[in-house]
Amino acid sequence: MKINLISDTVTKPTSGMFDAMMKAEVGDDMYREDPTTIALEEKIADMFGMEAAMFFPSGTMANQTAIKLHTNPGDQLICDKDGHIFHYESGGVSFNSGVSCRMVDGNRGVISAEQVEEVINDPNSFHSPYTSLVSLENTSNKGGGTCYDFEEILKIKAVCDRHNLKLHLDGARLWNAMVAKNETPQQYGEVFDSISVCLSKGLGCPVGSVLMGTKEFINRAFRVRKLLGGAMRQIGYVTAAGIYALDNHIERLADDHQRAQEISTLLQSFPYVKSVTPVETNIVIFELDKQVISHLDYIELLQEKGISISTMGPKLRIVTHLDYTAKMHQYFLETVKNLDISVSV
């Protein structure tokens, strides 16, 4: 049995999703003539109660577009020190927008309103970058799938309003957060100036993210998407997968969360596991006692059993997902229980 727990991006379309893709009505998206893509964009905008939405080939491009539209060269944005926009978007903040990041030392990827307030630069100072944007990530990838408390988001929004800052949400795994916290898309749409959500993480689509905002914002985003190389044609074949996923794959995320929690509980029972980050959604991050076994040796042991996981520096990451079945889960738990760690001591 082969089990890939490297990420929730490794999934393949289900038979129902593939059928929807093959039956999609398509047109040229650059002429805004792809009916399936327009239907997806309108569906997501309506879900969040926002004016408009646009499909992007990646979450990175969606985030980078939002940052470019909310800032000017030389500005500074505020984000957590582990934020995806800083660590995993190839330096796009500086390359695409000429903007610097003011990192905040949050709690497992989650920052507070008080922390935001403390690092806003004096707008009258000519010595510091002009602070123009706050970007949150929910759930936090490097934080281990952690979720924001919505009341704290409201407090951060109040800080942004007082200081005339824009508020962007990198919601790549926002679906997981909403299921875990029993929240609604409308709650988020009422607070953020822009939101990006991913369709290929958690929801099982082969590709794509969607950026939301005002009609004026999304109209400007169309030009930036083109500038960044995001012009697309008959993309209804992939946006049909997004419509299917929204209708069929959101509630089942609770299964991924439950399996991640069971994995976490098991790992905590082993003396060679040094720590396990608290699990809230579908990501398990843990650290081994390197005096007993290295993280690379542990990965090799699992690979011999047909199981793939990933590293985050010296720590290890497991991500549950749509293609990780109940049968695979039981195999994984039994395999980990029976690992002969002594062979690597």
Side-chain angles (χ1 to χ4, degrees):
M1 182 179 293
K2 297 292 185 180
I3 300 176
N4 191 335
L5 295 173
I6 289 175
S7 177
D8 46 5
T9 61
V10 302
T11 57
K12 306 294 192 301
T14 62
S15 59
M17 179 181 288
F18 188 75
D19 186 54
M21 294 168 68
M22 292 301 98
K23 293 179 179 178
E25 183 181 358
V26 300
D28 192 319
D29 179 66
M30 279 306 294
Y31 290 102
R32 306 306 290 152
E33 293 179 349
D34 190 294
T36 304
T37 299
I38 292 171
L40 170 68
E41 293 168 344
E42 291 178 347
K43 183 181 183 71
I44 288 189
D46 184 63
M47 284 178 67
F48 284 82
M50 302 189 81
E51 288 185 3
M54 179 168 288
F55 181 82
F56 281 74
S58 72
T60 292
M61 187 181 286
N63 285 333
Q64 291 301 313
T65 296
I67 291 167
K68 191 166 186 66
L69 292 175
H70 286 314
T71 63
N72 291 304
D75 283 1
Q76 187 175 79
L77 65 81
I78 297 169
C79 67
D80 183 80
K81 69 182 188 307
D82 290 330
H84 190 280
I85 62 169
F86 177 73
H87 280 279
Y88 298 120
E89 299 190 4
S90 301
V93 172
S94 58
F95 185 85
N96 297 314
S97 300
V99 171
S100 59
C101 294
R102 179 63 163 91
M103 254 73 75
V104 174
D105 189 9
N107 178 23
R108 293 187 291 118
V110 173
I111 63 179
S112 69
E114 182 180 1
Q115 289 177 309
V116 171
E117 184 94 52
E118 289 175 350
V119 298
I120 298 172
N121 292 329
D122 179 356
N124 297 312
S125 171
F126 297 104
H127 303 288
S128 303
Y130 182 76
T131 305
S132 56
L133 174 66
V134 176
S135 180
L136 309 182
E137 182 183 346
N138 196 22
T139 67
S140 168
N141 177 27
K142 287 197 75 173
T146 46
C147 306
Y148 271 87
D149 183 296
F150 199 80
E151 289 302 313
E152 194 62 37
I153 290 177
L154 293 177
K155 292 177 183 178
I156 293 172
K157 174 62 173 176
V159 171
C160 290
D161 288 345
R162 285 199 302 273
H163 294 274
N164 195 31
L165 310 181
K166 295 296 184 179
L167 184 60
H168 172 67
L169 177 62
D170 174 3
R173 294 186 175 92
L174 182 59
W175 316 107
N176 294 87
M178 290 189 292
V179 168
K181 305 285 281 187
N182 195 28
E183 297 164 342
T184 66
Q186 289 82 1
Q187 287 177 267
Y188 286 88
E190 291 172 358
V191 175
F192 287 89
D193 294 293
S194 58
I195 300 174
S196 68
V197 290
C198 189
L199 301 172
S200 59
K201 292 176 180 172
L203 297 191
C205 295
V207 67
S209 288
V210 175
L211 179 65
M212 293 167 273
T214 64
K215 289 181 180 179
E216 186 269 341
F217 176 85
I218 293 300
N219 186 54
R220 292 166 60 210
F222 189 75
R223 178 181 292 274
V224 176
R225 190 185 73 171
K226 167 73 172 180
L227 181 152
L228 295 176
M232 295 169 285
R233 302 301 180 181
Q234 290 76 25
I235 55 174
Y237 294 115
V238 291
T239 54
I243 294 174
Y244 182 89
L246 293 173
D247 290 339
N248 295 278
H249 291 169
I250 294 179
E251 291 184 2
R252 63 146 306 280
L253 291 171
D255 297 335
D256 297 341
H257 299 172
Q258 178 61 36
R259 288 168 186 162
Q261 186 59 64
E262 291 172 3
I263 292 171
S264 171
T265 300
L266 177 61
L267 290 172
Q268 291 176 64
S269 70
F270 300 130
Y272 61 83
V273 175
K274 183 178 179 180
S275 65
V276 181
T277 300
V279 170
E280 294 185 57
T281 51
N282 67 322
I283 299 177
V284 183
I285 294 178
F286 62 105
E287 186 173 4
L288 302 173
D289 182 347
K290 62 182 180 181
Q291 300 301 319
V292 179
I293 184 171
S294 73
H295 63 288
L296 295 178
D297 286 340
Y298 191 77
I299 287 176
E300 186 175 344
L301 281 178
L302 289 179
Q303 286 178 337
E304 291 173 358
K305 305 294 184 180
I307 299 169
S308 299
I309 65 174
S310 61
T311 63
M312 300 187 82
K315 296 184 178 181
L316 298 171
R317 188 182 79 156
I318 292 169
V319 186
T320 56
H321 52 74
L322 177 65
D323 286 0
Y324 179 57
T325 65
K327 183 178 180 180
M328 290 178 178
H329 184 55
Q330 291 307 311
Y331 174 82
F332 175 86
L333 295 178
E334 289 301 317
T335 299
V336 172
K337 285 179 186 177
N338 296 318
L339 283 179
D340 183 6
I341 299 301
S342 62
V343 300
S344 297
V345 174

